[in-house]
Amino acid sequence: AQSVTQPDIHITVSEGASLELRCNYSYGATPYLFWYVQSPGQGLQLLLKYFSGDTLVQGIKGFEAEFKRSQSSFNLRKPSVHWSDAAEYFCAVSNFNKFYFGSGTKLNVKP
Amino acid sequence: GAGVSQTPSNKVTEKGKYVELRCDPISGHTALYWYRQSLGQGPEFLIYFQGTGAADDSGLPNDRFFAVRPEGSVSTLKIQRTERGDSAVYLCASSLMAGGRSDTQYFGPGTRLTVL
């Protein structure tokens, strides 16, 4: 069965520090993977997606993610976090007509 | 262009009442999805439309939930005899086409439903 696990419920980083949010998936075939960000009162905004090819994908707002098949992971990274990055982040795997989402990681940014 | 819009943004109702939640997808998007996001959880799939027909309603929790999309654009999610457990944020998404796993879904801001 398809599933996504985001092991970190909350993460706090200092502004300017690097960030890595973990995502592990379970899927029988080649996964199509997504990262979304959700700010309070806002809808989910797509950060990046992976379908095939280069395992390091670049997204908006300076985010990138690396697909590692051997680890069933698709971790999100950013070299230098900005205060405006404080939000909740969701990883998802696509199964044709539906997405399966993780439970999210809330990012706090310290000044 | 305009994104996915949802109305109302907030809905408070009493247990046992009927509610309708509306979604207006991105123009030209043929596929429309409904998800439910409970507190502290990621969105959970409810139903997916391709055009006017519900192609997959396997996520609807029970027969109190129903959704329509009569003209292949706007969709309404209908909940009968609401229960306190129905309280959640209901998200709508649309995509250009459907059936492809690579199809990106664009989400609306959601409707926060509170059942008292």
Side-chain angles (χ1 to χ4, degrees):
Chain A
Q2 306 87 348
S3 68
V4 174
T5 302
Q6 294 180 247
D8 303 306
I9 299 173
H10 288 98
I11 282 186
T12 298
V13 299
S14 297
E15 191 169 15
S18 63
L19 171 70
E20 182 168 29
L21 302 182
R22 296 185 289 166
C23 171
N24 293 97
Y25 67 88
S26 172
Y27 192 76
T30 301
Y32 286 20
L33 296 159
F34 301 76
W35 274 100
Y36 283 84
V37 61
Q38 186 177 40
S39 298
Q42 303 295 315
L44 292 159
Q45 180 183 20
L46 179 69
L47 286 175
L48 48 78
K49 57 190 177 185
Y50 170 79
F51 297 152
S52 64
D54 193 348
T55 56
L56 184 64
V57 293
Q58 302 297 321
I60 63 170
K61 304 184 178 186
F63 285 93
E64 66 179 25
E66 186 171 13
F67 170 62
K68 293 186 177 179
R69 183 185 298 276
S70 62
Q71 298 178 18
S72 297
S73 70
F74 188 56
N75 294 349
L76 182 72
R77 302 195 294 247
K78 187 169 184 178
S80 177
V81 169
H82 188 263
W83 64 266
S84 61
D85 293 325
E88 189 159 19
Y89 293 79
F90 292 93
C91 181
V93 63
S94 167
N95 181 32
F96 293 98
N97 306 325
K98 64 189 79 166
F99 281 9
Y100 292 88
F101 285 88
S103 54
T105 297
K106 285 187 178 176
L107 173 65
N108 295 318
V109 181
K110 292 190 302 184
Chain B
V4 177
S5 62
Q6 292 186 245
T7 55
S9 56
N10 280 284
K11 176 70 177 178
V12 180
T13 191
E14 294 179 343
K15 180 175 178 295
K17 299 290 188 182
Y18 167 83
V19 296
E20 290 189 350
L21 312 178
R22 176 188 166 108
C23 172
D24 203 336
I26 293 171
S27 177
H29 281 193
T30 61
L32 185 145
Y33 312 79
W34 284 98
Y35 292 80
R36 179 168 70 174
Q37 186 175 17
S38 300
L39 194 63
Q41 300 296 317
E44 292 180 298
F45 171 82
L46 294 177
I47 186 170
Y48 143 68
F49 288 89
Q50 172 56 30
T52 60
D56 183 349
D57 64 358
S58 62
L60 294 177
N62 51 61
D63 61 6
R64 296 186 298 105
F65 288 75
F66 189 71
V68 296
R69 195 186 184 199
E71 298 179 357
S73 179
V74 171
S75 175
T76 304
L77 178 66
K78 307 181 181 192
I79 310 174
Q80 299 177 322
R81 304 182 305 280
T82 52
E83 300 177 357
R84 292 192 179 87
D86 299 335
S87 296
V89 175
Y90 289 82
L91 296 169
C92 177
S94 69
S95 65
L96 190 58
M97 45 194 298
R101 290 174 56 212
S102 62
D103 206 23
T104 297
Q105 297 184 19
Y106 297 89
F107 284 80
T111 294
R112 181 176 298 278
L113 175 66
T114 303
V115 182
L116 301 177

